């Protein structure tokens, strides 16, 4: 299904995934309130800078058993030790629907990525 808005995407998810996606969205916007919402690869994407290229966005997605955040490989490498307890895919970090999100870590990762982009 193709969604028109991030709200529509989130509302279409099962209850627990919807809650966690709302939390991820709020965390990203807490660090980068001016982030522009849109879609990349069919999932919610948040542009960390104006006119962001693909690698200047953070993506989130809902799945049957987890929610994922796609913060960029530089973030995953930088926070390797802190992310060790979480399952990871190619460029993604997966958070089980059964647990809570590590808010402090996610806020740090978003801030790190924004600073990295601005320095580049």
């Amino acid at each position: 299904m193709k969604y028109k808005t991030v709200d529509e995407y989130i509302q279409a998810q099962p209850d627990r995934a919807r809650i966690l996606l709302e939390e991820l969205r709020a965390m990203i916007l807490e660090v980068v309130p001016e982030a522009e919402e849109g879609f990349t690869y069919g999932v919610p994407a948040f542009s960390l800078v104006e006119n962001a290229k693909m690698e200047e966005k953070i993506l989130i997605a809902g799945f049957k058993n987890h929610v994922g955040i796609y913060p960029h490989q530089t973030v995953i490498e930088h926070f390797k030790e802190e992310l060790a307890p979480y399952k990871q895919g190619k460029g993604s970090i997966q958070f089980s629907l059964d647990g809570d999100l590590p808010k402090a870590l996610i806020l740090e990762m978003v801030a790190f990525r924004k600073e990295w982009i601005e320095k580049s």
Side-chain angles (χ1 to χ4, degrees):
M1 178 172 183
K2 193 167 184 169
Y3 300 99
K4 293 179 183 163
T5 66
V6 172
D7 283 324
E8 191 178 281
Y9 177 94
I10 291 173
Q11 292 308 313
Q13 304 303 311
D15 288 346
R16 184 66 182 147
R18 185 172 57 246
I19 291 165
L20 295 178
L21 288 170
E22 286 285 9
E23 289 178 13
L24 281 171
R25 178 193 212 179
M27 290 176 207
I28 293 167
L29 294 174
E30 182 177 327
V31 177
V32 189
E34 70 278 10
E36 187 177 317
E37 295 181 341
F39 288 91
T40 300
Y41 302 123
V43 299
F46 299 83
S47 297
L48 301 180
V49 294
E50 197 173 338
N51 300 315
K53 299 177 192 121
M54 172 54 208
E55 66 272 5
E56 297 172 335
K57 298 177 183 182
I58 290 182
L59 284 59
I60 61 173
F63 298 93
K64 184 179 178 183
N65 298 312
H66 71 277
V67 293
I69 185 168
Y70 303 76
H72 194 269
Q73 198 59 41
T74 56
V75 175
I76 293 171
E77 289 169 15
H78 183 80
F79 291 93
K80 188 174 173 176
E81 288 181 29
E82 295 93 326
L83 293 171
Y86 304 100
K87 186 173 180 184
Q88 296 174 38
K90 186 176 181 181
S92 71
I93 303 142
Q94 300 173 12
F95 300 109
S96 169
L97 298 183
D98 298 333
D100 294 324
L101 297 173
K103 182 175 181 176
L105 176 57
I106 293 168
L107 294 174
E108 277 186 73
M109 291 190 308
V110 174
F112 174 83
R113 185 64 191 146
K114 174 128 172 92
E115 289 170 21
W116 178 282
I117 292 166
E118 290 173 340
K119 288 179 186 174
S120 298

